[in-house]
Coordinates of all heavy atoms in Angstrom, one line a residue:
F25 N 182.9 -96.9 1.6 CA 183.7 -98.1 1.5 C 185.1 -97.9 2.0 O 185.7 -98.8 2.6 CB 183.7 -98.6 0.0 CG 182.4 -99.2 -0.4 CD1 181.7 -98.7 -1.4 CD2 181.9 -100.3 0.3 CE1 180.5 -99.3 -1.7 CE2 180.7 -100.9 0.0 CZ 180.0 -100.4 -1.1
V26 N 185.7 -96.7 1.8 CA 187.0 -96.4 2.4 C 187.0 -96.4 3.9 O 187.8 -97.0 4.6 CB 187.6 -95.1 1.8 CG1 188.8 -94.6 2.7 CG2 187.9 -95.2 0.4
L27 N 185.9 -95.8 4.5 CA 185.8 -95.7 5.9 C 185.5 -97.1 6.5 O 186.0 -97.5 7.5 CB 184.7 -94.7 6.3 CG 185.0 -93.3 6.1 CD1 183.8 -92.4 6.2 CD2 186.1 -92.8 7.0
W28 N 184.7 -97.9 5.7 CA 184.4 -99.2 6.2 C 185.7 -100.1 6.3 O 185.9 -100.8 7.2 CB 183.4 -99.9 5.3 CG 182.9 -101.2 5.7 CD1 183.4 -102.4 5.4 CD2 181.9 -101.5 6.6 NE1 182.8 -103.5 6.1 CE2 181.8 -102.9 6.8 CE3 180.9 -100.7 7.3 CZ2 180.8 -103.5 7.7 CZ3 180.0 -101.3 8.1 CH2 180.0 -102.7 8.3
G29 N 186.5 -99.9 5.2 CA 187.8 -100.6 5.2 C 188.7 -100.2 6.4 O 189.3 -101.0 7.0
L30 N 188.7 -98.9 6.7 CA 189.5 -98.4 7.8 C 189.0 -98.9 9.1 O 189.8 -99.1 10.0 CB 189.6 -96.8 7.7 CG 190.4 -96.2 6.6 CD1 190.2 -94.7 6.6 CD2 191.8 -96.6 6.6
V31 N 187.7 -99.0 9.3 CA 187.1 -99.5 10.5 C 187.4 -101.0 10.6 O 187.8 -101.5 11.7 CB 185.6 -99.2 10.6 CG1 185.0 -100.0 11.7 CG2 185.4 -97.7 10.8
Y32 N 187.3 -101.7 9.5 CA 187.6 -103.1 9.5 C 189.1 -103.4 9.8 O 189.4 -104.4 10.6 CB 187.3 -103.7 8.1 CG 187.5 -105.2 8.0 CD1 186.6 -106.1 8.5 CD2 188.6 -105.7 7.3 CE1 186.8 -107.4 8.4 CE2 188.9 -107.0 7.2 CZ 187.9 -107.9 7.7 OH 188.2 -109.3 7.6
L33 N 190.0 -102.5 9.4 CA 191.4 -102.7 9.7 C 191.7 -102.1 11.0 O 192.9 -102.1 11.4 CB 192.2 -102.0 8.6 CG 192.1 -102.7 7.2 CD1 192.9 -101.8 6.2 CD2 192.7 -104.1 7.2
R34 N 190.8 -101.6 11.7 CA 190.9 -101.0 13.0 C 191.8 -99.8 13.0 O 192.4 -99.4 14.1 CB 191.4 -102.0 14.0 CG 190.4 -103.2 14.2 CD 190.7 -103.9 15.5 NE 189.8 -105.1 15.5 CZ 188.6 -105.2 16.1 NH1 188.1 -104.1 16.5 NH2 187.9 -106.3 16.1
V35 N 191.8 -99.0 11.9 CA 192.5 -97.7 11.9 C 191.6 -96.7 12.5 O 192.1 -95.8 13.2 CB 192.9 -97.3 10.4 CG1 193.4 -96.0 10.3 CG2 193.8 -98.4 9.8
L36 N 190.3 -96.8 12.3 CA 189.3 -96.0 12.9 C 188.6 -96.9 14.0 O 188.4 -98.0 13.8 CB 188.3 -95.5 11.9 CG 188.8 -94.5 10.9 CD1 187.7 -94.1 9.9 CD2 189.3 -93.2 11.6
P37 N 188.1 -96.2 15.1 CA 187.4 -97.0 16.0 C 186.1 -97.6 15.5 O 185.4 -97.0 14.7 CB 187.1 -96.0 17.2 CG 187.2 -94.7 16.5 CD 188.1 -94.8 15.4
R38 N 185.7 -98.7 16.1 CA 184.4 -99.3 15.8 C 183.3 -98.6 16.5 O 183.6 -98.0 17.6 CB 184.4 -100.8 16.1 CG 185.4 -101.6 15.3 CD 185.4 -103.0 15.7 NE 184.2 -103.7 15.3 CZ 184.0 -104.2 14.0 NH1 184.8 -104.1 13.1 NH2 182.8 -104.9 13.8
G39 N 182.1 -98.7 16.0 CA 180.9 -98.2 16.8 C 180.6 -99.1 18.0 O 181.2 -100.2 18.2
L40 N 179.9 -98.6 18.9 CA 179.5 -99.3 20.1 C 178.5 -100.4 19.8 O 177.4 -100.1 19.2 CB 179.0 -98.4 21.2 CG 179.9 -97.4 21.7 CD1 179.2 -96.4 22.7 CD2 181.1 -98.0 22.4
G41 N 178.7 -101.6 20.2 CA 177.7 -102.7 20.0 C 177.4 -102.9 18.5 O 178.3 -103.1 17.7
D42 N 176.1 -102.8 18.2 CA 175.7 -103.0 16.8 C 175.7 -101.7 16.0 O 175.1 -101.7 14.9 CB 174.3 -103.7 16.8 CG 174.3 -105.1 17.3 OD1 175.4 -105.7 17.2 OD2 173.3 -105.6 17.8
S43 N 176.2 -100.7 16.5 CA 176.1 -99.4 15.8 C 177.2 -99.1 14.8 O 177.3 -98.0 14.3 CB 176.0 -98.2 16.8 OG 177.3 -98.1 17.5
N44 N 178.0 -100.1 14.5 CA 179.1 -99.9 13.6 C 178.6 -99.4 12.2 O 179.2 -98.5 11.7 CB 179.8 -101.2 13.4 CG 181.2 -101.0 12.8 OD1 181.9 -100.0 13.1 ND2 181.7 -101.9 12.0
L45 N 177.6 -100.0 11.6 CA 177.1 -99.5 10.3 C 176.6 -98.1 10.4 O 176.9 -97.3 9.5 CB 176.0 -100.4 9.8 CG 175.3 -100.0 8.5 CD1 176.4 -100.1 7.4 CD2 174.1 -100.9 8.2
L46 N 175.9 -97.7 11.4 CA 175.4 -96.3 11.6 C 176.6 -95.4 11.8 O 176.6 -94.3 11.2 CB 174.5 -96.3 12.8 CG 173.9 -94.9 13.1 CD1 173.0 -94.5 12.0 CD2 173.1 -94.9 14.4
W47 N 177.6 -95.8 12.5 CA 178.8 -95.0 12.7 C 179.5 -94.7 11.3 O 179.8 -93.6 11.0 CB 179.8 -95.7 13.7 CG 181.2 -95.3 13.6 CD1 182.3 -96.0 13.1 CD2 181.8 -94.0 14.0 NE1 183.4 -95.3 13.2 CE2 183.1 -94.0 13.8 CE3 181.2 -92.9 14.6 CZ2 184.0 -93.0 14.1 CZ3 182.1 -91.8 14.9 CH2 183.4 -91.9 14.6
V48 N 179.6 -95.7 10.5 CA 180.3 -95.6 9.2 C 179.4 -94.7 8.3 O 179.9 -93.9 7.6 CB 180.6 -96.9 8.6 CG1 181.2 -96.7 7.2 CG2 181.6 -97.7 9.5
L49 N 178.1 -94.9 8.3 CA 177.2 -94.1 7.5 C 177.3 -92.6 7.8 O 177.4 -91.7 7.0 CB 175.7 -94.6 7.7 CG 175.3 -95.8 6.9 CD1 174.0 -96.3 7.3 CD2 175.4 -95.5 5.4
V50 N 177.2 -92.3 9.1 CA 177.3 -90.9 9.6 C 178.6 -90.3 9.2 O 178.7 -89.2 8.7 CB 177.0 -90.8 11.1 CG1 177.3 -89.4 11.6 CG2 175.5 -91.2 11.4
L51 N 179.7 -91.0 9.4 CA 181.0 -90.5 9.1 C 181.2 -90.3 7.6 O 181.7 -89.3 7.2 CB 182.1 -91.5 9.6 CG 183.5 -90.9 9.8 CD1 183.5 -89.7 10.7 CD2 184.3 -92.0 10.4
A52 N 180.6 -91.2 6.8 CA 180.7 -91.0 5.4 C 179.9 -89.8 4.9 O 180.3 -89.1 4.0 CB 180.1 -92.3 4.7
I53 N 178.7 -89.6 5.5 CA 177.9 -88.4 5.1 C 178.7 -87.1 5.5 O 178.8 -86.2 4.7 CB 176.6 -88.4 5.9 CG1 175.7 -89.5 5.3 CG2 175.9 -87.0 5.8 CD1 174.4 -89.7 6.1
V54 N 179.3 -87.1 6.7 CA 180.1 -85.9 7.2 C 181.3 -85.6 6.3 O 181.6 -84.5 6.0 CB 180.5 -86.1 8.7 CG1 181.5 -85.0 9.1 CG2 179.2 -86.1 9.5
I55 N 181.9 -86.7 5.8 CA 183.1 -86.5 5.0 C 182.8 -86.2 3.5 O 183.4 -85.4 2.9 CB 184.1 -87.7 5.1 CG1 184.7 -87.7 6.5 CG2 185.2 -87.7 4.1 CD1 185.5 -88.9 6.9
S56 N 181.7 -86.9 3.1 CA 181.4 -86.8 1.6 C 180.8 -85.4 1.3 O 180.9 -84.9 0.2 CB 180.5 -87.9 1.1 OG 179.2 -87.8 1.7
A57 N 180.1 -84.8 2.2 CA 179.5 -83.5 2.0 C 180.5 -82.4 1.5 O 180.3 -81.8 0.5 CB 178.6 -83.0 3.1
P58 N 181.5 -82.1 2.3 CA 182.4 -81.1 1.9 C 183.3 -81.5 0.6 O 183.6 -80.7 -0.2 CB 183.4 -80.9 3.1 CG 183.2 -82.0 4.0 CD 181.8 -82.6 3.7
L59 N 183.5 -82.9 0.5 CA 184.2 -83.3 -0.7 C 183.4 -83.1 -2.0 O 183.9 -82.6 -2.9 CB 184.5 -84.8 -0.6 CG 185.7 -85.2 0.3 CD1 185.8 -86.7 0.4 CD2 187.0 -84.6 -0.3
S60 N 182.1 -83.3 -1.9 CA 181.2 -83.1 -3.0 C 181.1 -81.6 -3.3 O 181.1 -81.2 -4.5 CB 179.8 -83.6 -2.7 OG 179.8 -85.0 -2.6
Y61 N 181.1 -80.8 -2.3 CA 181.0 -79.4 -2.5 C 182.2 -78.9 -3.3 O 182.0 -78.0 -4.2 CB 180.9 -78.7 -1.1 CG 180.8 -77.1 -1.2 CD1 179.5 -76.6 -1.6 CD2 181.8 -76.3 -1.0 CE1 179.4 -75.3 -1.7 CE2 181.7 -75.0 -1.2 CZ 180.4 -74.4 -1.5 OH 180.3 -73.1 -1.6
V62 N 183.4 -79.4 -3.0 CA 184.6 -78.9 -3.7 C 184.7 -79.6 -5.0 O 185.0 -79.0 -6.0 CB 185.8 -79.2 -2.8 CG1 187.1 -78.9 -3.6 CG2 185.7 -78.3 -1.5
L63 N 184.6 -81.0 -5.0 CA 184.9 -81.7 -6.2 C 183.8 -81.6 -7.3 O 184.1 -81.8 -8.5 CB 185.0 -83.2 -5.9 CG 186.2 -83.5 -4.9 CD1 186.1 -85.1 -4.6 CD2 187.5 -83.2 -5.6
L64 N 182.6 -81.4 -6.9 CA 181.5 -81.3 -7.9 C 181.0 -79.9 -8.2 O 179.9 -79.7 -8.7 CB 180.3 -82.2 -7.5 CG 180.7 -83.7 -7.2 CD1 179.5 -84.4 -6.7 CD2 181.3 -84.3 -8.4
R65 N 181.8 -78.9 -8.0 CA 181.4 -77.5 -8.2 C 181.0 -77.3 -9.7 O 179.9 -76.7 -9.9 CB 182.6 -76.6 -7.9 CG 182.2 -75.1 -8.1 CD 183.3 -74.2 -7.6 NE 183.3 -74.3 -6.1 CZ 184.3 -74.1 -5.3 NH1 185.4 -73.7 -5.9 NH2 184.2 -74.2 -4.1
K66 N 181.7 -77.8 -10.6 CA 181.4 -77.6 -12.0 C 180.0 -78.2 -12.4 O 179.2 -77.6 -13.0 CB 182.5 -78.2 -12.9 CG 182.3 -78.1 -14.4 CD 183.4 -78.7 -15.1 CE 183.1 -78.9 -16.6 NZ 184.1 -79.6 -17.3
Q67 N 179.8 -79.4 -11.9 CA 178.5 -80.1 -12.2 C 177.4 -79.4 -11.5 O 176.3 -79.2 -12.1 CB 178.6 -81.6 -11.8 CG 179.5 -82.4 -12.6 CD 180.9 -82.2 -12.3 OE1 181.3 -81.7 -11.3 NE2 181.8 -82.7 -13.2
R68 N 177.6 -78.9 -10.3 CA 176.6 -78.2 -9.5 C 176.2 -76.9 -10.2 O 175.1 -76.5 -10.3 CB 177.0 -78.0 -8.1 CG 175.9 -77.5 -7.2 CD 176.4 -77.3 -5.8 NE 177.6 -76.5 -5.6 CZ 178.8 -77.0 -5.3 NH1 179.0 -78.3 -5.2 NH2 179.8 -76.2 -5.2
D69 N 177.2 -76.2 -10.7 CA 177.0 -74.9 -11.3 C 176.2 -75.1 -12.6 O 175.3 -74.4 -13.0 CB 178.3 -74.2 -11.6 CG 178.9 -73.6 -10.3 OD1 178.2 -73.5 -9.3 OD2 180.1 -73.3 -10.4
A70 N 176.5 -76.2 -13.4 CA 175.9 -76.5 -14.7 C 174.4 -76.8 -14.4 O 173.5 -76.3 -15.1 CB 176.5 -77.6 -15.4
M71 N 174.2 -77.6 -13.3 CA 172.8 -78.0 -13.0 C 172.0 -76.8 -12.5 O 170.8 -76.6 -12.9 CB 172.8 -79.0 -11.9 CG 171.4 -79.5 -11.5 SD 171.5 -80.7 -10.1 CE 171.9 -79.7 -8.8
S72 N 172.6 -75.9 -11.7 CA 172.0 -74.7 -11.2 C 171.6 -73.8 -12.4 O 170.5 -73.2 -12.4 CB 172.9 -74.0 -10.2 OG 172.3 -72.8 -9.8
E73 N 172.5 -73.6 -13.3 CA 172.3 -72.8 -14.5 C 171.1 -73.3 -15.3 O 170.2 -72.5 -15.7 CB 173.5 -72.7 -15.3 CG 173.5 -71.8 -16.5 CD 174.8 -71.7 -17.2 OE1 175.8 -71.4 -16.6 OE2 174.8 -71.9 -18.4
Q74 N 171.0 -74.6 -15.5 CA 169.9 -75.1 -16.2 C 168.6 -75.0 -15.5 O 167.6 -74.7 -16.1 CB 170.2 -76.6 -16.6 CG 171.3 -76.7 -17.6 CD 171.6 -78.2 -17.9 OE1 171.2 -79.1 -17.2 NE2 172.3 -78.4 -19.0
I75 N 168.6 -75.1 -14.2 CA 167.4 -75.0 -13.4 C 166.9 -73.5 -13.4 O 165.7 -73.3 -13.6 CB 167.6 -75.4 -12.0 CG1 167.7 -77.0 -11.9 CG2 166.5 -75.0 -11.0 CD1 168.2 -77.5 -10.6
V76 N 167.8 -72.6 -13.3 CA 167.5 -71.1 -13.4 C 166.9 -70.8 -14.8 O 165.9 -70.1 -14.8 CB 168.7 -70.2 -13.1 CG1 168.5 -68.8 -13.5 CG2 169.1 -70.3 -11.6
T77 N 167.5 -71.3 -15.8 CA 166.9 -71.1 -17.1 C 165.5 -71.7 -17.3 O 164.6 -71.0 -17.8 CB 167.8 -71.8 -18.2 OG1 169.1 -71.3 -18.1 CG2 167.3 -71.6 -19.6
K78 N 165.3 -72.8 -16.7 CA 163.9 -73.4 -16.8 C 162.9 -72.6 -16.0 O 161.8 -72.4 -16.4 CB 164.0 -74.9 -16.3 CG 162.7 -75.6 -16.4 CD 162.8 -77.1 -16.1 CE 161.6 -77.8 -16.2 NZ 161.7 -79.3 -15.9
V79 N 163.3 -72.2 -14.8 CA 162.4 -71.4 -14.0 C 162.1 -70.0 -14.6 O 160.9 -69.6 -14.6 CB 163.0 -71.2 -12.6 CG1 162.3 -70.1 -11.8 CG2 163.0 -72.5 -11.8
D80 N 163.1 -69.4 -15.2 CA 162.9 -68.2 -15.9 C 161.9 -68.3 -17.1 O 161.0 -67.5 -17.3 CB 164.2 -67.6 -16.4 CG 165.0 -67.0 -15.3 OD1 164.5 -66.8 -14.2 OD2 166.3 -66.8 -15.5
R81 N 162.1 -69.4 -17.9 CA 161.2 -69.7 -19.0 C 159.7 -69.9 -18.5 O 158.8 -69.4 -19.1 CB 161.7 -70.9 -19.7 CG 161.2 -71.0 -21.1 CD 161.8 -72.1 -21.9 NE 162.6 -73.0 -21.0 CZ 163.6 -73.7 -21.3 NH1 164.0 -73.7 -22.6 NH2 164.3 -74.5 -20.5
A82 N 159.6 -70.6 -17.3 CA 158.3 -70.8 -16.8 C 157.6 -69.6 -16.3 O 156.4 -69.3 -16.5 CB 158.3 -71.9 -15.6

Side-chain angles (χ1 to χ4, degrees):
F25 288 117
V26 166
L27 290 169
W28 187 268
L30 291 174
V31 169
Y32 181 78
L33 295 173
R34 300 200 186 269
V35 174
L36 293 175
R38 296 179 69 82
L40 297 174
D42 292 334
S43 68
N44 196 37
L45 178 63
L46 182 62
W47 160 250
V48 175
L49 281 172
V50 169
L51 199 54
I53 289 170
V54 168
I55 291 174
S56 70
L59 282 175
S60 294
Y61 184 75
V62 172
L63 297 175
L64 302 180
R65 179 173 292 157
K66 179 181 170 187
Q67 290 79 15
R68 188 176 55 254
D69 289 345
M71 182 182 71
S72 174
E73 186 176 304
Q74 290 177 345
I75 289 171
V76 166
T77 302
K78 187 175 181 179
V79 168
D80 288 344
R81 203 174 9 207

